[in-house]
Amino acid sequence: MPNWIAVCMLSDIPVLGSRRVARDRGPQVALFRTADDRVHALLDRCPHKAGPLSQGIVFGDAVACPLHNWTIALDTGCAREPDDGRTPVFQVKLEEGQVMLDRDELDTVGIDLPPVAAGPCTRATC
Amino acid sequence: MSTTRMKLVMVGNGMAGVRTIEELLKIAPDLYDITVFGAEPHPNYNRILLSPVLAGEQTLDEIILNPLSWYDEHGIRLHLGKTVTEIDRVRRQVVAADGTTAAYDRLLIATGSNPFILPIPGKDLAGVIGYRDITDTQTMIDAATRYQHAVVIGGGLLGLEAANGLMRRGMQVTVVHLNDWLMERQLDDQAGALLRQSLQDRGLRFRMGAQTEALIGDADGRVMAVRFRGGEEIPADLVVMAAGIRPNTALAERAGLHCHRGVVVTDTLQTVTDPRIYAVGECAAHRGIAYGLVAPLFEQGKVCANHLAQFGIGRYLGSQTSTKLKVTGIDLFSAGDFMGGPGTEEIVMSDPFAGVYKKLVIKEDRLVGACLYGDTVDGSWYFKLLREGRRIADIRDKLMFGESSLGDVGHEGHHKAAAMADSDEVCGCNGVTKGAVCKAIKEKGLFTLEEVRKHTKASASCGSCTGLVEQLLMFTAGGDYSATPKKKAICGCTEHSHQEVRDAIVDHHLVSMADLFRHLDWKTPNGCATCRPALNYYLISTWPKEAVDDPQSRLINERSHANIQKDGTYSVIPRMWGGETSADELRRIADAVDKYRIPTVKVTGGQRIDLLGVKKEDLVSVWKDIGMPSGHAYAKALRTVKTCVGSEWCRMGTQDSTQMGKDLERAMWRMYAPHKVKFAVSGCPRNCAEAGIKDVGIIGVDSGWEMVIAGNGGIKTEVAQFFTKLKTADEVLEYTGAFMQLYRKEGWYLERTVHYVARVGLDHVKRRILEDHEGRKALWAELQFALDGEPDPWFEFSKAQVDLRQFEALSPPAPAAGAQTAPSLPVRVNV
């Protein structure tokens, strides 16, 4: 049984837009709202180079990653061909205008993935 | 479910028909129960590649496009080896020769064409064949193992490919041709003569201007000789008739469908007689033309599928075609009206010794035809000019020497494809090599840019290699594939081109995305990441202060007014007018760097300071603390005006270039454009601000300013072209602004000024800006109107429609301590 918790109202997510949900550990979770008011949740991390999917353009049932334009299906998390890869999907429930996620999934799914690096190297050996 | 499905029957199992079914299955997979009748015993194969099979370069297995399993997977009932002999339009069923019947709600006729068999004595002898299908090809291959002499009647494309194949298989081949030169429908006499010479050198024999009177048989009823008018005979154990094709309309005619040079169809590929019956491919006559090349047929298939799927949008408007001969080692290309004639001008280059001949036909300042032999590298470029109908006055003197002679042609990549090695990278975004693209085109049978993108990812990201990929498609797939539609759609969501969308927005006063989708019958409910940013730009640039900006149709950089970086952080570039800054600004920047722990501070190529690694949550505060206007370094907009110090400090400076740069930047800094825009102003001809590679470059000289336009320092360096000389700073502003407004109105999204100017012609820009004084002032006024009151997204959030919610993440309530109480909602972030 999912352990549903409310994270925001449907109206907090722009139509054809997204919001991010922060977690104590691991990458954030991206919420997407389609034109017909369905909400999908994906790990906010493109399977390609970990781009933040929440920042992409949402169209139909997909989002285009803002980094390299991979197209990820919102319902399955799968990249559309010719690309190949999958990003974890979170269960979502809409109830009386509230967007609900599963607490247990939030606490466990994709929390161990390493952060993406850029910029000056911080390791001592550099 | 299946009881309610409509029944679609297709007669003919060739390339055009099956392609239509493929397109249909893509968009409406469950609408029909599909039955296919094929007279041949084979599944769908690539007829174009029969020539390489005959020549021994490919095998029959390799040219199968859809194996039997494909029909199974899609639940298609397939009747192979059954010829449909009757269409009963009253009962709506078809009847095959063996008595098989199939009822239809919609019928698709795709019966292709038949070889034209000369009505001469002996035409029915054994060893006399046409060249059309696998059986013919097999007959020729078999004959080559047993017999010596072959005669091919017809020196056109098909005949020469057959002759070449038979020769490669060891036969002695004579080509008999009625006309005085070969391939007269694709080549002029000079190119035809060169072709004949080089085929002769390979061992083919020719009888030009020869009329075949009869075929003579031996005692067993097999052909043994060809007799010409005049009585001369030559030996022939095999005769291939390749004197043209005739649309196969016998079935349609029997069913009472109107036929004239093919089954007559409308722009929706419905027969004019019976709208339930469609026809595509070589059997169909659209606006009087029955196409014999594959690309037009595929275009037809797409439109036809769209109508079968009951979408009812899209029309087939005809195709431009070009030709290439599939004989290894022979390069020829022709397109359009290559013969010329009254009202046309010709540019000809002929070097028979080297085997090179080129002819370009020009009519009313536009290229209308091209015929190339021996050096066809520029074929695709000429074809592009021809299709687009671009004016060529400004490049006429260099036209013959090809696109490379124009100097920088930008990242469109034409003329490069042929010279590249297989290991060379075509698409830098996705690391796709030329070899990988060509392999996919060959093995997967790709015909369009969209397909190449889908299968290889090449050109699917930034799109800067699109031209190169198109050219590879043309070279690899051969001439049959190279006929492309006259216009290129923006993306897969629509049939409309950039220009058509721009025109519709102006003509019908469209001001919102929804209007656009409705008015132009967009195929997808809300577009895609390719078309939406373009449409949004077109709307707001066409109807400033009226059109509704759609933030969700802007790329993330414009939506959050900062550049996204590889790790998901952002960079911030404050605006420094003309590249000048102050201690005060620097201090505020330095303080923000400390306060927000910004890891990298870098000076950009455009004389601005870049703060890299800012977290999205911090963006709003960083802007506020820095207190400088938006640098728009994230946008398709005016980025920078680079300057030198000019007369204020420089001992060489003739003009105050820094002030000019500041004035230009302040006048146009909030200007969105089809692509990023960069200016530069130099104070003297030493040009320290490198104005020669900017969208607009201004160079101070003693008597005033020189203005150059359409340069680019980006993917491929483009030197700007001299535009005009101006006296005053006010003139510089007016002319620059007018040029920008023209580009904003006419440029296509993601088209840099260099490509825009190449497309419309420098003369066009000169006419509008230099010669039309009223028009220029009007353009400048339009731009000022559009920019007046444009908000700075850093300081006027709501006016600039910045959705501040995006900067804060939602935080779910802490893990409940065992309780199942209703969770409290997080505080809503500022809107």
Side-chain angles (χ1 to χ4, degrees), chain B residues 46 55 63 68 79 101 118 266 276 288 292 358 379 429 528 575 581 591 618 684 707 713 745 749:
Chain B
N46 191 338
I63 67 167
L68 292 174
H79 296 294
T101 63
L118 296 178
T266 64
R276 282 178 185 277
K358 301 183 188 182
C429 299
C528 71
R575 191 164 292 274
T581 183
D591 287 345
D618 291 339
C684 79
M707 176 175 176
K745 286 172 74 167
Y749 193 68

Side-chain angles (χ1 to χ4, degrees), chain B residues 32-110:
Chain B
Y32 291 99
D33 278 324
I34 302 173
T35 305
V36 174
F37 286 87
E40 287 184 67
H42 312 281
N44 178 238
Y45 61 90
N46 191 338
R47 202 178 296 280
I48 296 158
L49 296 180
L50 285 174
S51 293
V53 169
L54 178 62
E57 290 161 0
Q58 274 186 295
T59 67
L60 280 174
D61 283 346
E62 284 171 353
I63 67 167
I64 298 293
L65 287 170
N66 300 77
L68 292 174
S69 57
W70 176 83
Y71 296 86
D72 277 350
E73 279 164 30
H74 292 90
I76 297 170
R77 197 172 302 115
L78 177 63
H79 296 294
L80 286 180
K82 292 189 187 180
T83 306
V84 172
T85 51
E86 190 196 339
I87 298 170
D88 182 342
R89 283 170 50 207
V90 177
R91 293 195 185 82
R92 294 218 299 272
Q93 64 173 16
V94 300
V95 185
D98 70 342
T100 310
T101 63
Y104 66 82
D105 295 302
R106 297 283 183 277
L107 178 66
L108 176 56
I109 300 178

Side-chain angles (χ1 to χ4, degrees), chain A residues 3-9 11-24 28 31 35 48-52 54-60 64 66-71 81-83 98 100 103 106-107 116-120, chain B residues 429-430 453-457 460-461 525-530 532-533 550 552-556 559-560 564-570 599-600 616-617 803 805-816 820 823-826 828-829:
Chain A
N3 182 4
W4 295 113
I5 55 161
V7 289
C8 66
M9 301 298 289
S11 56
D12 291 332
I13 313 173
V15 176
L16 290 178
S18 72
R19 291 299 300 272
R20 295 167 292 141
V21 179
R23 306 191 286 175
D24 294 339
Q28 299 184 334
L31 296 176
H48 176 219
K49 290 192 173 172
S54 59
Q55 311 298 298
I57 286 183
V58 178
F59 58 98
L67 292 196
H68 307 98
N69 211 21
W70 277 37
T71 301
E81 64 173 341
D83 299 317
Q98 289 186 105
M100 324 268 286
R103 169 95 259 168
L106 273 182
D107 288 343
V116 209
Chain B
C429 299
N430 297 292
R453 284 183 178 155
K454 215 167 146 195
H455 282 92
T456 67
K457 195 74 182 171
S461 295
N526 39 55
C528 71
T530 300
R532 284 223 321 258
D550 176 21
Q552 302 306 339
S553 293
R554 287 182 180 262
L555 297 165
I556 184 58
R559 227 181 312 138
S560 56
I564 196 165
Q565 302 297 342
K566 64 181 282 190
D567 62 349
T569 64
Y570 291 78
T600 297
K616 188 158 188 187
E617 299 81 281
D803 186 346
R805 292 178 297 179
Q806 66 177 305
F807 297 104
E808 295 297 336
L810 298 160
S811 43
Q820 290 293 321
S824 59
L825 291 175
R828 224 177 122 179
V829 192

Side-chain angles (χ1 to χ4, degrees), chain B residues 56-361:
Chain B
E57 290 161 0
Q58 274 186 295
T59 67
L60 280 174
D61 283 346
E62 284 171 353
I63 67 167
I64 298 293
L65 287 170
N66 300 77
L68 292 174
S69 57
W70 176 83
Y71 296 86
D72 277 350
E73 279 164 30
H74 292 90
I76 297 170
R77 197 172 302 115
L78 177 63
H79 296 294
L80 286 180
K82 292 189 187 180
T83 306
V84 172
T85 51
E86 190 196 339
I87 298 170
D88 182 342
R89 283 170 50 207
V90 177
R91 293 195 185 82
R92 294 218 299 272
Q93 64 173 16
V94 300
V95 185
D98 70 342
T100 310
T101 63
Y104 66 82
D105 295 302
R106 297 283 183 277
L107 178 66
L108 176 56
I109 300 178
T111 46
S113 61
N114 292 323
F116 175 61
I117 302 294
L118 296 178
I120 51 173
K123 69 183 167 58
D124 298 316
L125 290 166
V128 180
I129 58 168
Y131 182 22
R132 171 67 189 165
D133 56 24
I134 285 185
T135 311
D136 299 330
T137 311
Q138 201 60 57
T139 305
M140 285 192 265
I141 294 172
D142 292 345
T145 61
R146 276 184 284 159
Y147 301 104
Q148 181 61 37
H149 298 286
V151 171
V152 175
I153 299 178
L157 201 59
L158 200 59
L160 293 179
E161 289 182 5
N164 177 62
L166 292 167
M167 182 179 65
R168 293 278 297 269
R169 291 198 176 261
M171 294 190 87
Q172 198 196 90
V173 187
T174 305
V175 176
V176 178
H177 195 52
L178 197 57
N179 204 288
D180 291 332
W181 69 86
L182 298 172
M183 288 179 68
E184 74 276 2
R185 293 179 59 188
Q186 291 89 14
L187 300 178
D188 67 3
D189 51 347
Q190 299 214 40
L194 283 170
L195 172 64
R196 181 174 146 200
Q197 187 58 51
S198 91
L199 289 170
Q200 233 159 265
D201 292 346
R202 290 164 171 232
L204 278 182
R205 298 176 180 192
F206 290 94
R207 288 301 179 107
M208 306 305 290
Q211 201 165 349
T212 310
E213 196 172 76
L215 306 178
I216 316 295
D218 63 11
D220 301 328
R222 185 177 179 90
V223 67
M224 57 175 270
V226 172
R227 185 199 301 149
F228 300 118
R229 176 174 293 177
E232 191 198 355
E233 289 183 17
I234 57 170
D237 311 308
L238 173 75
V239 173
V240 180
M241 300 261 200
I245 55 171
R246 296 287 178 272
N248 186 2
T249 56
L251 176 67
E253 281 178 60
R254 273 202 301 280
L257 299 173
H258 176 48
C259 296
H260 180 64
R261 295 182 186 142
V263 186
V264 178
V265 295
T266 64
D267 286 358
T268 56
L269 285 316
Q270 283 160 304
T271 58
V272 291
T273 319
D274 184 343
R276 282 178 185 277
I277 304 182
Y278 294 72
V280 294
E282 290 180 331
C283 68
H286 172 264
R287 299 188 185 183
I289 302 173
Y291 292 94
L293 299 173
V294 77
L297 311 187
F298 284 0
E299 283 300 314
Q300 293 176 357
K302 214 169 175 176
V303 174
C304 182
N306 184 295
H307 279 262
L308 284 170
Q310 301 182 333
F311 290 174
I313 52 173
R315 290 194 306 154
Y316 177 70
L317 302 174
S319 302
Q320 288 260 22
T321 57
S322 68
T323 303
K324 199 168 175 276
L325 182 69
K326 281 188 297 302
V327 170
T328 310
I330 292 187
D331 294 322
L332 66 82
F333 171 90
S334 83
D337 174 18
F338 61 88
M339 287 299 284
T344 63
E345 306 151 58
E346 290 170 19
I347 305 179
V348 177
M349 198 215 85
S350 175
D351 183 356
F353 184 72
V356 176
Y357 172 78
K358 301 183 188 182
K359 177 161 95 178
L360 303 176
V361 181

